[in-house]
Amino acid sequence: MRLLMLGGSGFVGRAVVSDALARGWSVTLLHRGNRRPPAGATVLHGDRTAPDGLAALGDGEWDVVVDTWSAAPSVVRDSARLLADRAERYVYVSSASVYAEPIDHAAAEDGALEPGSPDDGDVAYPYAKRGGELAAIGAFGEARSLLLRAGLILGPGEDIGRLTWWLGRIARGGPVLAPGPRELSLQYIDARDLASWALDAAERGLSGPCNTVGRPEHTTMGELLDACVAATGSHAQLRWTDPERILAAGIKPWTELPLWTPPGELHDFLNGLETAKAFEAGLRCRPVTETVADTWKWLQGLDGVAPQRPDRPVLGISAEAEAAALASQG
């Protein structure tokens, strides 16, 4: 199989490239050169936002194109149009954010969608991803495009600062503000499992939208943070705190306490995605302990400092705010 990866040096793209190379596929990747790509691939350089950014793709044919673009849909449009006659299938890594609120989880992939246009420039994330989907379909048609509506993505290579923040915080030890309840469900997918299933699905000729994330009950906040303690070998003390107390302290879910949202509508939106279609098509998700341990091992190879995407905010509560919240508990 011949893979063209648009990107490939970042988080999900790198996982796709690494998996494809392990299968013995011929891999070409187009990227801007900001980070070192995985060894073993044919590397082309180009900035897809520049007028001549696709010049390096002037020739060549591929069986599968994988695209993780998250900004202006017009960039996906231009890439897909250029490749429509020289590639068999276009796999676009989209997002569950394309579903309109309030999300109807029972409708699965048939749920109502946010508006979007393949011709849009910079727009908000949900509209960008929906526009990207429409761009892929517009060039390749529904039969040759596969839309991976991913949820939360974790694992080695993460450059957003979610699981990596928790690992860093717990590794420092001491009392840790642990947002409850312990049994609160957490739905996510390891980037490596997403990559593996994406390539399997493309090879089998699957098409259309597919919710690609672990089951809603895959793990809990308690299991995840316990795994962080075990992986780091830390003597941290998890101080489980009621959601009401956290919110009353003015602490922001999801950003100041990454991965966590209190029980309610937002939590259900983020952690209740119906994934039967993907699992029936062979999706398998490794246990949270493996994802956490492997992410910590990867971080250790970087001296504990995770990469940070420049287009995303730095996450995590300040030490002062955490100490104040813990002190208020007595």
Side-chain angles (χ1 to χ4, degrees):
M1 293 287 284
R2 299 162 299 171
L3 168 69
L4 171 62
M5 181 72 224
L6 300 178
S9 60
F11 181 26
V12 175
R14 180 176 288 270
V16 172
V17 170
S18 297
D19 193 291
L21 289 170
R23 296 168 185 241
W25 287 20
S26 172
V27 179
T28 302
L29 62 91
L30 177 76
H31 76 133
R32 286 174 283 191
N34 296 334
R35 288 181 280 195
R36 180 179 299 175
T42 298
V43 178
L44 304 176
H45 290 107
D47 182 346
R48 297 168 68 189
T49 64
D52 61 347
L54 297 175
L57 299 179
D59 54 25
E61 295 182 350
W62 295 275
D63 299 300
V64 182
V65 179
V66 177
D67 189 354
T68 62
W69 190 259
S70 298
S74 59
V75 172
V76 180
R77 176 201 64 196
D78 294 344
S79 302
R81 285 178 178 175
L82 177 68
L83 298 165
D85 295 329
R86 293 188 284 121
E88 291 298 320
R89 188 162 304 276
Y90 203 95
V91 179
Y92 180 62
V93 181
S94 185
S95 168
S97 295
V98 300
Y99 292 113
E101 298 184 48
I103 187 171
D104 180 6
H105 287 301
E109 286 84 1
D110 294 325
L113 301 172
E114 296 284 6
S117 168
D119 302 319
D120 278 341
D122 290 328
V123 291
Y125 184 77
Y127 313 127
K129 281 299 191 183
R130 179 55 183 156
E133 290 187 350
L134 294 172
I137 295 170
F140 278 74
E142 293 185 357
R144 293 197 298 140
S145 54
L146 177 62
L147 313 176
L148 307 185
R149 291 176 179 162
L152 175 65
I153 306 174
L154 303 177
E158 186 202 339
D159 53 5
I160 307 298
R162 292 174 176 142
L163 176 55
T164 53
W165 183 84
W166 278 111
L167 282 164
R169 171 62 193 92
I170 287 174
R172 293 197 302 273
V176 175
L177 181 64
R182 278 185 59 97
E183 64 275 11
L184 190 68
S185 63
L186 184 64
Q187 185 180 33
Y188 75 93
I189 189 167
D190 189 299
R192 297 167 294 178
D193 297 329
L194 174 62
S196 179
W197 189 85
L199 297 182
D200 286 346
E203 192 169 23
R204 292 164 54 195
L206 299 187
S207 60
C210 195
N211 296 336
T212 45
V213 67
R215 300 186 191 278
E217 307 83 10
H218 185 68
T219 193
T220 64
M221 283 300 300
E223 290 171 346
L224 179 114
L225 296 191
D226 286 344
C228 289
V229 173
T232 60
S234 170
H235 295 292
Q237 305 103 46
L238 300 178
R239 300 286 179 83
W240 291 99
T241 305
D242 291 339
E244 295 78 13
R245 186 184 292 271
I246 292 173
L247 297 176
I251 298 170
K252 298 176 182 176
W254 195 251
T255 54
E256 289 189 292
L257 292 175
L259 307 178
W260 177 78
T261 52
E265 185 175 325
L266 179 58
H267 175 268
D268 294 342
F269 178 87
L270 294 170
N271 297 279
L273 203 63
E274 175 55 61
T275 59
K277 181 179 178 180
F279 277 90
E280 288 171 2
L283 177 64
R284 296 292 180 269
C285 294
R286 68 195 70 205
V288 65
T289 50
E290 184 176 336
T291 295
V292 170
D294 289 351
T295 304
W296 178 245
K297 182 179 179 180
W298 164 72
L299 276 176
Q300 293 303 99
L302 301 175
D303 295 326
V305 181
Q308 174 68 44
R309 277 181 55 167
D311 61 334
R312 298 294 183 93
V314 176
L315 304 179
I317 191 172
S318 69
E320 295 77 14
E322 181 187 26
L326 289 169
S328 71
Q329 299 182 42

